[in-house]
Amino acid sequence: MQGIAFLGDRNVELRSFPDPAPGIGEVVLQMKASGICGTDLMLYRRPASAVGAPVIGGHEPCGVVAALGPGVDATRVRIGDRVMVHHYFGCTVCEHCRSGWAQLCQSTPVAVYGNNANGGHAPYLVVPAATLIALPDELSFETGAAISCGSGTAYAALRRLNVSGHDTVAIFGQGPVGLAGTQFAKAFGARVIALDVSPVRLARAAEFGADVSIDPSSADAVAEIMAATGGRGADAVLETSGATSAATAAVRAARIWGSVCLVSGQGPLDVNILADLVFRQITVFGSWTFSAAGQMECARFVVERAVDVDRIFTHRWALSAASEAYRLTDSQAAGKGVFLM
Ligand SMILES: [Zn+2]
Ligand SMILES: [Zn+2]
């Protein structure tokens, strides 16, 4: 079969891979949707010299079960089941694997589908049955793809920030993760201050319900957030942009006793520990995607609150359009893209 591989230096190619055959405990999924997410851009942009044997990209896979390998319990996993994938697989027995956080496994090299193991940018994907998460009937395959990384990351971060209808949340970056953050924070009942240097992205954030929009390239982000909150600062701050200055601004824009969650980032966090953190009682933490149970919870929330996750996608592609899809994603002129099979 043909799958999309990242060859480095911004080259992607549809190339031949062996037809999938499930091993012990594995299933073959027929892919229906495979999202494009931020980590894919890192893989796309890395130098060719850093790329080993190519694997199929795509870590937001969503599809249906097409074949069961030996040892898969056919009473629990059935051909035709609509599924997402928790896109990591570790040793299965350590405390992290057993708590559903396989990405934190320290016992063995963790398989990350679409990164160091074949992912979803292909007609088929082989994964352990244990990675499957049921896709509720109410949700489209595209929504399942978004929940599988980008939107799920935003949801998990807001949950850890304990965001509710009492809160004003400032969200740095309104790319696919930040925009999903705006969407979920509104569904949690919060007031949202959206920040981005792109007027197009700020306009999208407003369409998604953002109450205040700030362009940090033309205004002092911290001062604007203070002004929008009566001088208090934001109750919670989510930093998704990865911009060098954003993490520091995120900390300074939080109110006394506020919380700051970083899901992206470059460069050092330039804060004065006493002035910015201790004397303001600030909590700062990082958040890396979500557990398998967290992915299930996100899907359930999307169903019960009728969150229109599909709306996050601006571009739908065929696998054959891989080069164009990634070129456009790389330009950051577009929103989120997804391959549909
Ligand atoms: Zn991702
Ligand atoms: Zn483990």
Side-chain angles (χ1 to χ4, degrees), residues 36-40 59-60 87-88 148-150 153 177 289 336:
I36 297 174
C37 189
T39 308
D40 297 323
H59 62 276
E60 293 186 342
H87 66 273
Y88 312 96
S148 298
C149 191
T153 292
V177 174
T289 59
K336 189 174 175 71

Side-chain angles (χ1 to χ4, degrees), residues 90-94 96-97 105-108:
C91 74
T92 75
V93 295
C94 75
H96 306 297
C97 287
C105 180
Q106 306 292 310
S107 309
T108 194

